[in-house]
Amino acid sequence: MKKRNPLAFMPYIMVLMVLAFIWSYGGESEVKEFTYNSFVEKAPDLKFDDVNIGIGEMLIDVSGEYETKKDDEKVMVSFTTTMPKTDANIEWLEEVVSEEKNNVTIYEADVESIWITLLSNLLPLILMGVLAYFLFTKMGAGGQNKAFEFSKSKAKVEGDIKVRFNDVAGCDEEKEEVKEIIDYLKNPTKFSDMGARIPKGMLMVGPPGTGKTLLAKAVAGEADVPFFSISGSDFVEMFVGTGASRVRDMFKKAKQAAPCIVFIDEIDAVGRQRGAGMGGGNDEREQTLNQLLVEMDGMAENTGIVLIAATNRPDVLDPALLRSGRFDRQITVNLPDKKGRGEILAVHAKNKKLATGVTLESLASRTPGFSGADLENVLNEGAILAVRESRNEITMDDLDEAIDRVMMGPAKKSKKYNVEDKKLVAYHEAGHAVIGIKLEDADMVQKVTIIPRGDAGGYNLMTPREEKYFHREKEYLAKITGLLGGRVAEELVFGEVSAGAVNDIEQITKIAKNMVRVFGMSSLGPIQYADAGGNVFLGRDYANGSNYSGEVASEIDKEVRKIVDECYEKCKIILTKNRDLLELIAVTLIDIETLTNEQINNLVDHGTTEALVVEVAEVIDETTEVVESGAEEVLEASQADSEE
């Protein structure tokens, strides 16, 4: 817990002191104040106790107590009065207040009254001044005083990192790549004796949510060194030179804490290519990048500092940042495979109450393309759904719904189709499903639903039959054929098409263009015709354009159309041949709205979503056959015995 500075409480203390002073001097006084004439008149009849007589140059201050009766009880009343200083008044006071039991004190009033008067007048002013000073100091904290801290680094320093490699799953190769950093930070002499130089910087590249920041923290946790973390956007300000100052200050602090790890997240915010884009570069960002380049591999050595950066846009980084001597090692943190997804789910499921029927392996097989953050979100959404339904455990149904929510958003169960629209969506989704079932290289159908989610009226959850690093031409063609299944089904059944296939058409066009322009899977041969230019706001210039002629562009369009037309005809043949299956799936969807993989397989094999009746019948038939065969054997044995 962060300790508060004691001076921070000073304004509150001053306010309390001022209030106490005002209350003590401004409240009602219980002291009886006599005028001179009233005191001279009543004094001879009063019984005084303690009396203080202060003799000044011109006045006599008299204070003390006298006895009186109140409700037949004796009480003591304090009094005070002022008298002119004369010899007669002094003698009179001595006669009136002097008795054997009285305690009379005589003092010089001028000496004490000067200090009392001075303090009583100046103390409120002093308290107000101190209070105003602290208030204006606090108000000025964001102004002139803050200007001296404006160029300070915003890096957060974390010590005693709790994250370890056991908390990072699904990236075994990436963890192997960073183990040398841990060994170097623990025992640098082992490398220096061999003449080896540890990489000055490591750039972690990968899609969002794959665990780049978590892996960097795990390195710091395993090495047990301070961890400086900062975002690339924290360097850049509107004032030129601020970012460069912050870079210098960050490395200065890192040198003092060395050995340590400096982690810069989203480094593309400050490390983009210089001198490119519309209107040139940004002076502040370029100065910051220049200072970062100098600090990483300039005139001075940063011994004991390991810089780790993360980005999902390495294509826009400045080449000087990626050269050897700066970011020596580039680690690609990819999306996890099935085995990695299972390990990630096991890490995040430690504190989850899963039902008996839930297996993380089956859940991993249903989530291809999910990042570590997506998988954590699936388990969390499943837990929330279980709580919503007042269950004590997370069931597979909760996790299936969670996958749908992460991919497409929550189901819009309140949105109701009319009869025609529901039929249209059912046949559309059934068309996708039939292609997935009957086409060998198509993705496997895991789930079909006509319940709206997000912008989709329904959808098919289709996963690859096996995860591959390289996709073949026939797999891309099967993908296009599967995407055309919905539109072709509408045309076969209704004789017209709807706008519901707009997302399918978008994906079809993208895949077909990549096959022709990028992958060389057409008659144009192994030549890449992709546009060289990128977004001008991401470090690209307007001058770059297409690197092919208009005639080639026309040939590309023809090849794209040829691929789509061939897949369209193939899709039409498959759906026409399996029209009965198309009708069966569509009618079932209209009835129950959602079909799982098991139910679809039962429809294909048995014509119904339930396999239990068929299985029981098969068991009965098998049992009958066994009984009959056993009876025949017994009968034959008995006949043989009788013959003997």
Side-chain angles (χ1 to χ4, degrees):
M1 184 176 178
K2 187 177 179 181
K3 294 183 178 179
R4 295 287 300 273
N5 187 351
L7 293 177
F9 297 99
M10 191 59 69
Y12 306 105
I13 297 175
M14 293 298 167
V15 171
L16 293 176
M17 292 178 64
V18 170
L19 293 176
F21 182 85
I22 294 173
W23 177 79
S24 62
Y25 278 86
E28 282 189 24
S29 176
E30 297 182 358
V31 180
K32 176 68 174 180
E33 294 186 2
F34 288 106
T35 62
Y36 172 64
N37 293 330
S38 177
F39 184 71
V40 170
E41 179 181 351
K42 295 181 179 180
D45 300 328
L46 298 177
K47 294 182 179 181
F48 295 99
D49 189 2
D50 295 336
V51 179
N52 298 315
I53 300 175
I55 301 175
E57 293 183 357
M58 301 181 64
L59 298 173
I60 302 174
D61 295 327
V62 182
S63 62
E65 295 180 343
Y66 64 89
E67 182 182 308
T68 185
K69 287 186 178 182
K70 186 176 183 181
D71 297 332
D72 296 332
E73 293 183 1
K74 294 181 179 180
V75 296
M76 302 301 296
V77 179
S78 299
F79 76 95
T80 180
T81 186
T82 302
M83 304 176 62
K85 179 186 176 184
T86 61
D87 293 339
N89 284 338
I90 294 174
E91 292 178 359
W92 180 81
L93 280 172
E94 291 179 352
E95 293 178 358
V96 172
V97 302
S98 294
E99 297 182 4
E100 293 182 358
K101 297 181 180 180
N102 289 352
N103 185 11
V104 180
T105 303
I106 300 176
Y107 60 92
E108 295 184 13
D110 292 339
V111 177
E112 187 173 350
S113 62
I114 293 175
W115 290 107
I116 294 175
T117 304
L118 184 63
L119 287 175
S120 62
N121 292 332
L122 293 182
L123 185 59
L125 297 178
I126 294 172
L127 293 176
M128 289 292 185
V130 173
L131 178 62
Y133 170 77
F134 276 98
L135 290 177
F136 281 110
T137 302
K138 288 290 184 182
M139 292 174 61
Q144 183 177 1
N145 294 336
K146 201 69 175 180
F148 296 101
E149 299 180 3
F150 195 68
S151 61
K152 298 294 183 181
S153 170
K154 293 185 177 181
K156 300 177 182 178
V157 185
E158 298 182 42
D160 191 21
I161 303 295
K162 302 297 184 183
V163 182
R164 297 292 186 269
F165 277 165
N166 294 333
D167 302 316
V168 184
C171 52
D172 296 334
E173 293 79 8
E174 290 81 358
K175 287 191 282 189
E176 288 293 332
E177 288 293 318
V178 299
K179 280 186 178 179
E180 291 89 355
I181 302 298
I182 299 171
D183 293 338
Y184 168 72
L185 293 172
K186 287 185 175 180
N187 188 11
T189 57
K190 181 170 66 173
F191 292 85
S192 60
D193 292 342
M194 190 61 66
R197 177 185 62 81
I198 202 69
K200 292 185 177 180
M202 291 191 304
L203 182 64
M204 294 186 180
V205 179
T210 51
K212 300 183 290 293
T213 304
L214 188 65
L215 183 59
K217 276 194 173 184
V219 174
E222 292 286 347
D224 194 20
V225 295
F227 183 76
F228 291 78
S229 62
I230 190 171
S231 173
S233 59
D234 288 334
F235 290 112
V236 183
E237 293 285 352
M238 63 180 294
F239 304 107
V240 177
T242 302
S245 299
R246 290 179 177 176
V247 171
R248 287 191 295 268
D249 185 66
M250 181 184 69
F251 277 91
K252 179 182 177 181
K253 293 178 180 178
K255 289 177 185 178
Q256 296 171 354
C260 64
I261 292 176
V262 176
F263 177 70
I264 303 178
D265 198 9
E266 305 296 344
I267 194 173
D268 52 278
V270 70
R272 292 181 182 175
Q273 293 182 15
R274 292 167 291 179
M278 182 177 60
N282 179 284
D283 289 338
E284 162 61 5
R285 181 176 54 79
E286 291 192 1
Q287 285 195 21
T288 306
L289 175 58
N290 291 338
Q291 187 62 42
L292 182 61
L293 296 175
V294 172
E295 292 290 346
M296 290 189 68
D297 189 26
M299 300 300 294
E301 288 287 336
N302 292 320
T303 306
I305 301 175
V306 177
L307 189 65
I308 302 177
T311 181
N312 52 17
R313 291 301 311 273
D315 55 311
V316 302
L317 295 180
D318 195 279
L321 197 62
L322 301 177
R323 75 160 175 83
S324 299
R326 291 195 174 110
F327 284 106
D328 303 274
R329 185 173 296 179
Q330 183 169 319
I331 301 175
T332 302
V333 186
N334 281 320
L335 294 171
D337 56 8
K338 180 179 177 181
K339 177 176 175 292
R341 292 196 297 273
E343 295 173 352
I344 293 172
L345 288 169
V347 171
H348 294 298
K350 289 180 180 178
N351 63 337
K352 303 291 191 300
K353 297 180 180 178
L354 300 179
T356 307
V358 176
T359 59
L360 298 181
E361 183 179 357
S362 63
L363 188 61
S365 64
R366 301 187 188 190
T367 52
F370 277 47
S371 66
D374 293 332
L375 295 172
E376 190 276 335
N377 195 21
V378 166
L379 289 175
N380 186 61
E381 288 288 343
I384 292 174
L385 290 172
V387 173
R388 182 182 297 176
E389 298 296 329
S390 301
R391 284 192 289 269
N392 297 325
E393 293 179 325
I394 305 172
T395 64
M396 202 65 201
D397 292 337
D398 295 328
L399 295 175
D400 282 337
E401 175 65 19
I403 293 174
D404 295 339
R405 292 171 70 91
V406 172
M407 292 180 62
M408 305 291 295
K412 298 180 179 179
K413 296 181 179 179
S414 60
K415 183 178 179 180
K416 299 297 182 182
Y417 292 116
N418 57 41
V419 177
E420 293 298 324
D421 287 345
K422 188 173 185 178
K423 186 177 179 181
L424 177 68
V425 174
Y427 276 96
H428 181 101
E429 300 303 333
H432 290 304
V434 170
I435 299 298
I437 294 168
K438 294 300 181 180
L439 189 59
E440 181 180 355
D441 296 309
D443 291 342
M444 184 169 57
V445 181
Q446 294 285 357
K447 186 177 183 179
V448 185
T449 180
I450 59 173
I451 297 175
R453 286 182 184 273
D455 295 330
Y459 81 100
N460 269 262
L461 176 60
M462 305 178 73
T463 61
R465 299 181 187 274
E466 58 177 326
E467 296 183 36
K468 300 178 180 179
Y469 285 103
F470 302 103
H471 295 281
R472 296 167 177 79
E473 181 179 359
K474 61 181 181 180
E475 293 170 350
Y476 286 117
L477 294 174
K479 181 77 171 177
I480 294 175
T481 306
L483 290 169
L484 286 167
R487 180 183 175 91
V488 174
E490 292 179 17
E491 186 177 353
L492 288 176
V493 177
F494 302 102
E496 59 180 355
V497 295
S498 69
V502 58
N503 185 255
D504 298 332
I505 295 173
E506 181 182 352
Q507 295 184 58
I508 290 167
T509 307
K510 182 178 179 181
I511 295 172
K513 283 187 175 181
N514 283 336
M515 289 178 66
V516 176
R517 297 167 48 184
V518 180
F519 306 137
M521 296 176 179
S522 70
S523 61
L524 295 179
I527 302 175
Q528 191 175 74
Y529 295 106
D531 291 338
N535 193 321
V536 295
F537 298 104
L538 294 176
R540 302 292 184 262
D541 292 326
Y542 276 115
N544 292 332
S546 300
N547 57 356
Y548 48 84
S549 64
E551 290 80 2
V552 173
S554 177
E555 292 295 326
I556 291 173
D557 291 340
K558 291 179 181 178
E559 290 295 326
V560 171
R561 181 177 294 277
K562 179 182 176 182
I563 290 174
V564 176
D565 288 344
E566 289 178 355
C567 293
Y568 194 90
E569 291 301 322
K570 187 174 183 179
C571 178
K572 197 169 185 178
I573 293 171
I574 294 173
L575 291 181
T576 303
K577 185 178 179 180
N578 297 277
R579 181 66 180 266
D580 293 341
L581 180 60
L582 175 67
E583 296 285 348
L584 179 61
I585 294 176
V587 171
T588 308
L589 278 174
I590 294 173
D591 185 25
I592 63 176
E593 295 186 336
T594 300
L595 290 172
T596 62
N597 176 264
E598 294 79 10
Q599 292 173 322
I600 293 172
N601 291 335
N602 292 333
L603 283 175
V604 175
D605 297 335
H606 312 298
T608 177
T609 57
E610 299 293 338
L612 182 61
V613 176
V614 177
E615 292 174 358
V616 171
E618 291 175 352
V619 171
I620 293 173
D621 293 340
E622 292 175 359
T623 306
T624 304
E625 291 177 0
V626 172
V627 172
E628 291 176 351
S629 62
E632 290 176 358
E633 292 177 358
V634 172
L635 181 60
E636 291 175 357
S638 62
Q639 289 176 353
D641 292 340
S642 63
E643 290 176 357
E644 292 178 358

